[in-house]
């Protein structure tokens, strides 16, 4: 038998867990930079297309524990009057009593209760989302985008995140039936986060 036709019987190495990045040097407290961050959402409209929107006024903090990511925390406060979807009439409707009731409930908040490392650059943070006077759990899957020092000497970290909620669980039940069947606004809402945070001095 020729060497090129000989079957390799060497056992394959056992798969190894993917190690996460070394974040020890990044441990500390951070403030979210709203001018370089996005808090957005996507809703299905009329069963045929997606409407995207976001909030322009928000503040937040991160505490990163690189040695033990499970000790990391996050907070977020969103001013509901800052909602924008690219349509003034729609934005006004969203601010009204049909939806966010911004006069009664001007702020949406998130407070983390648990953080997990999923391996590699992937993390998961669970917390409580408070909206319209209702507080329910929310889980956000995060990807660590990296760290850098900007030209002004700020130490930055970046994360992208996503989550899904059923808006009806927070009391957002307004809708309209379509003649062809279905409803105008989906119950399922996709949340998207693109976060840049600056390390506190």
């Amino acid at each position: 038998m020729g060497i090129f036709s000989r079957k390799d019987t060497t056992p394959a190495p056992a798969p190894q867990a993917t190690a996460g990045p070394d974040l020890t040097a990044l441990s500390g407290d951070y403030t979210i930079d709203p001018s370089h961050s996005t808090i957005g959402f996507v809703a299905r409209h009329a069963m045929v297309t997606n409407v995207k929107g976001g909030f322009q006024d928000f503040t937040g903090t991160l505490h990163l524990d690189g040695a033990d990511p499970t000790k990391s925390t996050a907070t977020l406060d969103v001013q509901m009057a800052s909602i924008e979807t690219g349509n003034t009439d729609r934005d006004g409707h969203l601010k009204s009593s049909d939806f966010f009731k911004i006069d009664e409930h001007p702020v949406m908040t998130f407070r983390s209760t648990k953080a997990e490392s999923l391996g590699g650059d992937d993390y998961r943070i669970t917390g409580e989302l408070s909206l319209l006077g209702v507080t329910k759990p929310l889980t956000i899957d995060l990807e660590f985008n990296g760290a850098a020092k900007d030209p002004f000497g700020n130490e930055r970290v970046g994360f992208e995140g996503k989550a899904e909620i059923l808006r009806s669980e927070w009391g957002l039940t307004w809708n309209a039936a379509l003649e062809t069947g279905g409803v105008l606004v989906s119950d399922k809402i996709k949340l998207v986060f693109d976060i840049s945070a600056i390390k506190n001095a």
Side-chain angles (χ1 to χ4, degrees), residues 6-201:
R6 188 176 299 139
K7 185 176 182 181
D8 185 1
T9 58
T10 306
Q16 310 229 338
T18 304
D22 183 6
L23 302 181
T24 306
L26 303 181
S27 293
D29 295 316
Y30 293 76
T31 299
I32 292 175
D33 176 7
S35 63
H36 295 95
S37 300
T38 301
I39 308 295
F41 60 87
V42 182
R44 198 77 170 161
H45 179 263
M47 311 293 289
V48 297
T49 191
N50 290 322
V51 169
K52 298 180 181 179
F55 299 94
Q56 308 307 307
D57 186 1
F58 54 87
T59 57
T61 64
L62 302 176
H63 171 74
L64 300 184
D65 189 322
D68 185 357
T70 64
K71 295 180 180 178
S72 298
T73 60
T75 71
L76 188 64
D77 294 85
V78 179
Q79 300 298 321
M80 301 307 291
S82 71
I83 192 168
E84 286 189 6
T85 64
N87 182 289
T88 302
D89 290 340
R90 180 168 56 221
D91 294 347
H93 191 198
L94 289 171
K95 296 173 187 179
S96 75
S97 58
D98 283 340
F99 284 94
F100 291 121
K101 304 181 176 75
I102 64 169
D103 292 336
E104 300 173 50
H105 304 282
V107 183
M108 174 175 65
T109 65
F110 175 79
R111 299 291 183 266
S112 67
T113 57
K114 180 182 179 182
E116 305 170 76
S117 173
L118 304 181
D121 290 323
D122 296 325
Y123 298 86
R124 178 171 292 153
I125 191 161
T126 301
E128 295 184 336
L129 179 69
S130 296
L131 174 64
L132 290 173
V134 178
T135 300
K136 287 187 171 292
L138 173 68
T139 297
I140 304 170
D141 287 331
L142 293 168
E143 181 180 359
F144 175 61
N145 282 346
K149 182 173 285 191
D150 68 23
F152 306 101
N154 299 310
E155 294 183 46
R156 291 180 179 267
V157 293
F159 292 89
E160 287 184 65
K162 59 184 179 180
E164 289 187 353
I165 65 170
L166 297 178
R167 63 186 178 91
S168 58
E169 294 185 351
W170 278 266
L172 289 164
T173 56
W174 184 92
N175 227 321
L178 302 175
E179 290 184 8
T180 53
V183 291
L184 186 65
V185 185
S186 61
D187 190 22
K188 181 188 291 185
I189 305 295
K190 297 177 182 179
L191 305 178
V192 291
F193 307 87
D194 199 342
I195 301 298
S196 177
I198 297 172
K199 194 171 189 179
N200 298 346

Side-chain angles (χ1 to χ4, degrees), residues 1-8:
M1 180 183 293
I3 188 170
F4 295 109
S5 60
R6 188 176 299 139
K7 185 176 182 181
D8 185 1

